[in-house]
Amino acid sequence: MPTFKLDGKDIPFEPGDSIIKAAARSGVEIPHYCWHAGLSAPANCRMCLVELKPAANQRAMMLDIVEWDPVLKDYKNVQKPKLQPACQYPATEGQEVLADSSKHVLDARASVQEFLLLNHPVDCPICDQAGECKLQDYWLEYQARDHTGKRMRDEPIHKPKAVVFGPTIVYDAERCVMCTRCIRFMEEVAKDPVLDMRERGNLNEIFVAPGRQLEGHYTFMTEHVCPVGALTTKDFRFKARVWFLKSVSSVCQGCATGCNAHLDYDPRSNKAYRYRPRDNEAVNKYWMCDEGMLSYRAAHEGRVIEARVGRTRLGVDAAIKEAKKRLGDVPKEAIAVVLSAQHSLEDNWAMRELAKQLGSSTLYAAGAGAGYADDILIDADKNPNTAGVKELAPNARTYLQLLEDMRSGRISHVIALGGVTPRNDPEDATALGMLGTLVVIASHEGALTDAAHVVLPATSWAEHTGTYANRQSLRQVADRALIPQGASRPAWELTKLLATALGLEVPFTRLKDIRAGLLGSSTAAPSTRDVAAITTGAT
Ligand code: SF4
Ligand code: SF4
Ligand code: FES
């Protein structure tokens, strides 16, 4: 691979890379506002300026400038090299680039900072971006370095604040650094060029096309790409301070795409607060959809957190006793087992082992129904693990076939993983009501938990580490963030308890055993925990 030198360090690059992109891939950040690895590079913020050393047979391009001389107490004429934007300048073999090691570059960064902050309000204490704001970070690194404060003494320009751009996003023009990332995201990725810039100079502001609002399936990403607190989501603003939040690597459960995400939560209250996209070129690049961004709420909404028999809440042990009472005398092979594309591979593997021990002739698979799809990210399959279930039980019958088999009396006793079903029809409830026994182990409420005789509370994806196979059959690991809520326990653990109560011996006691079984059964790619996701660290 060809390389160039950045502050003396060799940086490999791919043909077509800009200096900043190649550096980011090597884990070296060149300060920037307008550049984003997933968007075009307008080079309008000038924060990424670098000095290019001329080759032996070239002269450096120099600029005449005036510089304040504190001894002379006057300006004097000097020269400085013409700096170049690293976000636009292509990486070339053998090029020597100076960034942190160049005084001219450090001066330029401090000047850009001073310029951006001339009219910026000092409302960091009430800004949602505080703690993860590029303006704050770079001020500390480059402007505070020489204790260069703002020299302008005039009243700052005031611009519109708290402008509602649409159902999800609010805009603060005074905080905006005019990087145009939001405009470019809507045009280049969401394919809906609804944002633009108006006016000139310090009167610049972002606006929504007349007669439109910022809406659709990708509005949250405008907030995510905004490097400062100019765009905030109605969902997150004023809800939490980011320094109190912790984060785990997660996988969105909203559809079969399996977008990689950071799940941010407050460990003090055991509460999930938001999703942020986690870069993965192979799956979601740098993005997530709005529905996915809001799906962190499922960590708390619609959860099953207590065991129950009918409508009566009980302890897990008592509920398992009831399941044993109901299923104990039923011929084992007559008990049907339902897997769930809403649950992890681990949970489904454990349930499939239970089915094997029962000698069930047929497996069924359920999950959420189909929905909206596009050719950007969103898949019509609203389950995170359909490919995983298919891999474990390629011939599993569908939920509709399960209903048919119930109506025809072919099955009368069922153990199901997951409460969610593709549809929630009153007629289906009648069929489910005909069952002799329905035991459901689930993290979320649905038609199956509604009809169940016994419900056992399973932890959700946010409360355990689990593996999910997305539409590419790529196994991806979502890490645990929250402490299990209520009496919930991992579904595989409940499956083991139920199996033992029914006098069955399933071949696992610990998660380790299941993971080993899963590795053995895999025809798909190993998880992204094993194969590092390709990231460029673009934020
Ligand atoms: S709102 Fe944010 S993303 Fe959009 S131009 Fe302003 S600073 Fe950039
Ligand atoms: S596309 Fe699917 S997986 Fe990705 S964020 Fe949206 S709902 Fe989640
Ligand atoms: S990041 Fe290069 S000019 Fe903005």
Side-chain angles (χ1 to χ4, degrees), residues 330-358:
V330 178
K332 300 280 180 281
E333 63 286 358
I335 303 174
V337 170
V338 184
L339 304 183
S340 173
Q342 288 275 305
H343 277 254
S344 68
L345 268 164
E346 288 84 348
D347 291 352
N348 278 290
W349 189 89
M351 189 54 86
R352 190 191 64 173
E353 291 308 307
L354 174 83
K356 275 188 192 165
Q357 297 307 316
L358 282 170

Side-chain angles (χ1 to χ4, degrees), residues 171 176-182 206 222 225-228 230-231:
Y171 175 61
C176 177
V177 295
M178 297 300 154
C179 69
T180 70
R181 278 182 176 192
C182 54
I206 303 299
T222 59
V225 296
C226 184
V228 296
L231 294 177

Side-chain angles (χ1 to χ4, degrees), residues 5-8 19 23 28-31 47-52 83 86 96-107 109 142:
K5 278 205 185 311
L6 177 61
D7 293 328
I19 291 171
V28 180
E29 184 187 316
I30 296 176
M47 192 61 190
C48 69
L49 293 178
V50 289
E51 185 177 341
L52 302 177
L83 305 179
E96 271 197 64
V97 182
L98 304 181
D100 291 355
S101 59
S102 161
K103 179 184 177 309
H104 299 296
V105 169
L106 296 179
D107 286 349
R109 290 175 187 170
Y142 305 114

Side-chain angles (χ1 to χ4, degrees), residues 32-35 43-48 85 87:
H32 56 277
Y33 289 107
C34 68
W35 178 75
N44 62 13
C45 75
R46 317 310 281 179
M47 192 61 190
C48 69
C87 64

Side-chain angles (χ1 to χ4, degrees), residues 218 251-260 284 287-293 295 377-379 381-382:
Y218 295 93
V251 175
C252 177
Q253 306 285 297
C255 80
T257 306
C259 292
N260 291 204
N284 52 308
W287 323 120
M288 287 176 74
C289 73
D290 285 6
E291 291 77 4
M293 289 290 273
S295 67
L377 279 182
I378 305 173
D379 199 285
D381 176 4
K382 300 301 166 194

Side-chain angles (χ1 to χ4, degrees), residues 116-263:
L116 289 176
L117 290 171
L118 285 182
N119 291 299
H120 196 91
V122 191
D123 58 359
C124 302
I126 55 148
C127 177
D128 282 284
Q129 193 83 1
E132 51 187 8
C133 172
K134 292 273 188 195
L135 266 176
Q136 285 183 337
D137 294 349
Y138 293 156
W139 179 84
L140 204 62
E141 280 180 65
Y142 305 114
Q143 204 183 354
R145 179 184 61 119
D146 297 332
H147 308 289
T148 51
K150 182 164 89 171
R151 285 170 290 175
M152 186 181 93
R153 293 288 171 264
D154 293 343
E155 176 69 13
I157 299 289
H158 292 291
K159 295 204 262 188
K161 291 181 90 69
V163 184
V164 174
F165 268 8
T168 55
I169 301 289
V170 178
Y171 175 61
D172 183 320
E174 290 187 342
R175 293 178 188 161
C176 177
V177 295
M178 297 300 154
C179 69
T180 70
R181 278 182 176 192
C182 54
I183 299 175
R184 284 175 284 135
F185 174 82
M186 286 309 294
E187 182 167 348
E188 296 167 14
V189 182
K191 310 287 181 214
D192 181 11
V194 67
L195 297 179
D196 209 338
M197 185 190 280
R198 68 180 165 206
E199 302 297 347
R200 287 287 180 272
N202 56 16
L203 295 179
N204 264 171
E205 66 180 89
I206 303 299
F207 75 109
V208 185
R212 286 286 316 274
Q213 356 178 45
L214 178 57
E215 62 195 341
H217 293 277
Y218 295 93
T219 62
F220 274 61
M221 279 302 95
T222 59
E223 183 271 345
H224 179 69
V225 296
C226 184
V228 296
L231 294 177
T232 46
T233 62
K234 288 185 186 173
D235 183 62
F236 185 70
R237 63 193 253 123
F238 307 134
K239 296 272 169 58
R241 306 275 37 186
V242 295
W243 47 88
F244 289 130
L245 300 184
K246 291 211 175 311
S247 186
V248 294
S249 296
S250 191
V251 175
C252 177
Q253 306 285 297
C255 80
T257 306
C259 292
N260 291 204
H262 298 285
L263 179 58

Side-chain angles (χ1 to χ4, degrees), residues 343-416:
H343 277 254
S344 68
L345 268 164
E346 288 84 348
D347 291 352
N348 278 290
W349 189 89
M351 189 54 86
R352 190 191 64 173
E353 291 308 307
L354 174 83
K356 275 188 192 165
Q357 297 307 316
L358 282 170
S360 299
S361 54
T362 320
L363 276 174
Y364 297 86
Y372 173 83
D374 64 23
D375 54 8
I376 302 172
L377 279 182
I378 305 173
D379 199 285
D381 176 4
K382 300 301 166 194
N383 296 289
N385 198 25
T386 300
V389 171
K390 218 169 186 59
E391 196 192 317
L392 293 179
N395 301 319
R397 284 167 72 76
T398 65
Y399 178 68
L400 293 186
Q401 289 170 322
L402 173 74
L403 292 172
E404 269 170 35
D405 292 349
M406 284 175 192
R407 286 193 189 101
S408 69
R410 189 168 160 245
I411 57 167
S412 56
H413 300 275
V414 172
I415 298 175

